[in-house]
Amino acid sequence: MSATVGLSPAILAKYQPVIGLEVHVQLLTETKAFCGCANHFGSAPNTNVCPVCLGLPGALPVLNRRAVEFATLTGLALNCTIRERSIFARKNYFYPDSPKGYQISQFDKPIAEHGWIDVPTAAGTMKRIGITRAHMEEDAGKSIHDGFPDSAMRTYVDLNRCGTPLVEIVSEPDLRTPDEAYEYLTRLKEILLYARVSDCNMEEGSLRCDANVSVMPVGAEKFGTKVEVKNVNSFRYIRSALEYEIERQIEVVEAGGRVIQETRLWNQAEGRTYSMRSKEQAHDYRYFPEPDLPPLIVSAAWQAEIAATMPELPEARRKRMIAEYELNEQDAQTLTAEQSFADRFEAAAKTAKSPRRLANLLLSELGGRLKAAGIELDQSPITLPGLVLAADLIEDGKISSKQLKGLFDVCFEKSEDFPAVYEREKPQQITDSSAIEAMIDQVIAANPAQVAQYRGGKKTVAAFFVGQVMRASKGQANPALLNELVVKKLDE
Ligand code: ADP
Ligand code: ZN
Ligand code: MG
């Protein structure tokens, strides 16, 4: 549902949206950023707390080494420069779920800056989106507004999340459409998951995104006034929220008004944004260097040590897999969208005669059936090792693709893996050359026009004869032999 204003395409086309995203990700450390409390989602309220993360007087923070390593990995994965000496700062504000009255963050000397990621565009090209900075900070607790008998009267607070290590990743205002923003988030999440720095679970709040958006007349140089949209908890909703907000701003400008700089909240049920507060400026937070923490030093040697632990990232993996397994771009994209899926494919591919054929079977024949049945590979009756056998049999021409489909039908009907079904059914194959030749002769005699085409130089017509004979043999002709004999006969 969208309460969008419904401006005409002609009016929309007069304006250029500009978008920049701020993404907070929780790091996958065992313990919190500045104390030894468990960094764990879902514990009973206020059980993972101590004097440090409760902000009791006199308690002192000690920086979690692992959090620094994850933040550095994040920066490196986003092509940032890592600052050797970064500084923690206090960002002061009052909020009931933040007992210290300030948040430990980084301000003018963040750990990572000047990075980028490449994002696919509608035109099918890649566009480089700048990453302004990625800085370390701590999370706040959670106010709980409902779920208690007296929730209408009271708000409760759970401080378990206080002090959870975060990295905030700020993009340059380089995005131009809600679709680009969606793609950026998709790629960013993929990279963070591959780097294993966060689980990026939006439902549990381990990835959160604030979207900044403005509009300016097409051709203008100066960006319009930006609005920050918060409270959007899925990538799809971010796209909707941006679409709405762009139209709202254009309507304001078209009516002769001015967009005011503010923070707005997305209301998914109503499909619109509401003003929350006028945007505070950096000076409102009275940032100052955190007196309880020394500067953070990530020496070149330590950085190199951390860099050496970087898993292969999605883009590099796609390139390698395309080269190694002769995959096309699209298949490589699908196979690598999830690291564990890619891992499983690669483990199986190493045992297959033709990884490329295995990929094809996995994505088309098996993938199609899984999709139709609404199940994942984990629940597939045909396992990856089973699929390797199928791919090898096809590769060796020992079964035809028609027979393969028949065997797959049985696997799905009986919920049995491919090798068992193949052993039992051992589909008939005609491997007798003279029998196949006789069938080819018949098809040749029945299709003089195609024979003429072939003999006139259109060699691809051979596939037509292979298909016809395969059909006549009820899929039982040995494919390798059939291919060979068709060409032989046509060339006679
Ligand atoms: P603030 O100080 O208000 O937080 P920043 O300059 O730090 O503003 O930018 C915050 C985010 O807003 C960044 O992601 C940036 O790319 C984006 N941004 C900045 N100016 C604009 C603009 N005019 N339109 C859209 N996004 C913008
Ligand atoms: Zn603690
Ligand atoms: Mg800012």
Side-chain angles (χ1 to χ4, degrees):
M1 230 290 288
S2 174
T4 296
V5 214
L7 295 177
S8 74
I11 290 181
L12 292 175
K14 284 163 59 186
Y15 292 89
Q16 174 62 64
V18 171
I19 299 163
L21 301 178
E22 295 168 287
V23 173
H24 289 86
V25 285
Q26 287 182 0
L27 300 176
L28 276 174
T29 53
E30 295 285 319
T31 54
K32 294 186 181 180
F34 303 109
C35 62
C37 292
N39 173 22
H40 182 252
F41 180 86
S43 300
N46 301 307
T47 51
N48 299 329
V49 291
C50 74
V52 173
C53 54
L54 290 176
L56 300 188
L60 289 173
V62 178
L63 180 57
N64 180 336
R65 185 180 175 91
R66 203 82 189 96
V68 177
E69 290 168 350
F70 280 148
T72 304
L73 264 185
T74 304
L76 291 172
L78 303 176
N79 305 295
C80 290
T81 306
I82 304 300
R83 196 187 281 277
E84 266 205 55
R85 186 176 191 275
S86 64
I87 305 285
F88 286 99
R90 280 192 188 177
K91 183 179 183 179
N92 297 281
Y93 60 93
F94 172 78
Y95 217 72
D97 56 19
S98 174
K100 288 208 296 277
Y102 60 87
Q103 175 191 27
I104 303 180
S105 182
Q106 294 188 312
F107 183 50
D108 56 344
K109 301 233 169 14
I111 187 162
E113 54 195 346
H114 311 309
W116 47 265
I117 61 176
D118 287 333
V119 170
T121 66
T125 52
M126 295 300 264
K127 175 173 171 180
R128 186 152 288 186
I129 306 299
I131 305 280
T132 316
R133 54 192 276 145
H135 65 255
M136 297 184 71
E137 59 185 30
E138 59 176 339
D139 213 340
K142 254 188 274 190
S143 294
I144 305 171
H145 301 288
D146 39 42
F148 290 95
D150 55 353
S151 279
M153 314 279 298
R154 287 194 173 84
T155 290
Y156 289 81
V157 72
D158 175 7
L159 299 177
N160 281 344
R161 203 176 66 179
C162 279
T164 292
L166 299 177
V167 169
E168 177 177 346
I169 299 156
V170 182
S171 87
E172 288 289 305
D174 287 346
L175 299 157
R176 290 292 172 272
T177 65
D179 282 338
E180 278 182 18
Y182 181 87
E183 290 295 339
Y184 168 85
L185 289 169
T186 306
R187 292 293 167 125
L188 176 63
K189 177 175 165 184
E190 192 182 76
I191 292 169
L192 296 171
L193 285 174
Y194 264 72
R196 303 192 191 116
V197 294
S198 174
D199 63 21
C200 296
N201 185 332
M202 278 190 105
E203 279 99 70
E204 294 183 358
S206 39
L207 187 153
R208 304 192 288 273
C209 175
D210 301 334
N212 298 271
V213 54
S214 63
V215 297
M216 62 181 174
V218 167
E221 304 234 310
K222 196 173 173 295
F223 291 168
T225 302
K226 77 171 195 289
V227 163
E228 182 183 34
V229 184
K230 284 186 181 288
N231 199 33
V232 203
N233 47 24
S234 87
F235 292 175
R236 267 191 315 122
Y237 296 171
I238 284 182
R239 187 158 52 189
S240 314
L242 284 169
E243 278 161 5
Y244 171 84
E245 185 56 27
I246 287 164
E247 288 208 28
R248 188 192 66 80
Q249 292 182 17
I250 292 176
E251 193 184 40
V252 168
V253 178
E254 281 285 308
R258 279 195 318 160
V259 171
I260 48 169
Q261 175 156 343
E262 61 181 345
T263 299
R264 297 179 69 92
L265 290 186
W266 172 245
N267 183 316
Q268 176 59 29
E270 295 177 28
R272 55 164 293 180
T273 58
Y274 284 95
S275 180
M276 176 170 108
R277 59 172 187 238
S278 66
K279 170 80 185 169
E280 49 297 89
Q281 306 286 319
H283 61 251
D284 295 329
Y285 290 119
R286 301 279 187 272
Y287 277 101
F288 63 87
E290 167 61 59
D292 292 340
L293 287 165
L296 166 60
I297 310 291
V298 181
S299 67
W302 191 18
Q303 188 186 314
E305 235 173 75
I306 297 168
T309 68
M310 179 78 80
E312 187 179 29
L313 294 176
E315 203 50 47
R317 184 167 203 176
R318 275 192 277 279
K319 291 215 174 82
R320 180 180 58 72
M321 284 174 62
I322 287 171
E324 219 170 300
Y325 308 127
E326 299 170 61
L327 303 174
N328 64 34
E329 184 74 43
Q330 181 56 50
D331 288 353
Q333 180 66 49
T334 314
L335 287 169
T336 54
E338 256 180 62
Q339 194 176 34
S340 63
F341 189 74
D343 289 346
R344 291 169 62 189
F345 167 75
E346 286 211 78
K350 289 197 177 17
T351 68
K353 293 190 169 155
S354 163
R356 184 186 180 171
R357 202 175 279 285
L358 179 69
N360 286 341
L361 276 188
L362 175 60
L363 298 178
S364 50
E365 193 58 47
L366 183 58
R369 286 165 192 260
L370 294 179
K371 202 165 177 191
I375 56 176
E376 301 288 323
L377 185 58
D378 291 330
Q379 295 129 356
S380 167
I382 302 174
T383 63
L384 271 173
L387 197 65
V388 170
L389 175 65
D392 286 354
L393 290 169
I394 291 270
E395 186 63 20
D396 291 341
K398 290 196 177 135
I399 56 171
S400 66
S401 42
K402 183 154 184 228
Q403 289 172 327
L404 177 122
K405 283 181 203 284
L407 293 170
F408 275 24
D409 285 344
V410 178
C411 294
F412 274 79
E413 274 158 28
K414 305 214 160 144
S415 225
E416 269 184 290
D417 202 355
F418 182 83
V421 172
Y422 173 72
E423 276 309 313
R424 192 175 59 235
E425 314 252 320
K426 272 285 168 62
Q428 290 283 316
Q429 260 214 347
I430 305 172
T431 49
D432 171 6
S433 311
S434 53
I436 296 179
E437 282 184 45
M439 287 188 281
I440 297 174
D441 287 339
Q442 279 187 5
V443 175
I444 285 183
N447 296 283
Q450 280 81 352
V451 176
Q453 276 184 346
Y454 180 89
R455 296 196 172 140
K458 203 168 170 223
K459 300 290 180 199
T460 51
V461 179
F464 164 79
F465 290 95
V466 171
Q468 293 293 309
V469 177
M470 192 53 100
R471 186 181 299 176
S473 77
K474 302 202 167 57
Q476 292 179 0
N478 175 290
L481 198 55
L482 172 59
N483 272 303
E484 186 192 312
L485 292 175
V486 159
V487 172
K488 196 182 114 198
K489 285 270 173 191
L490 287 169
D491 285 342
E492 258 170 16

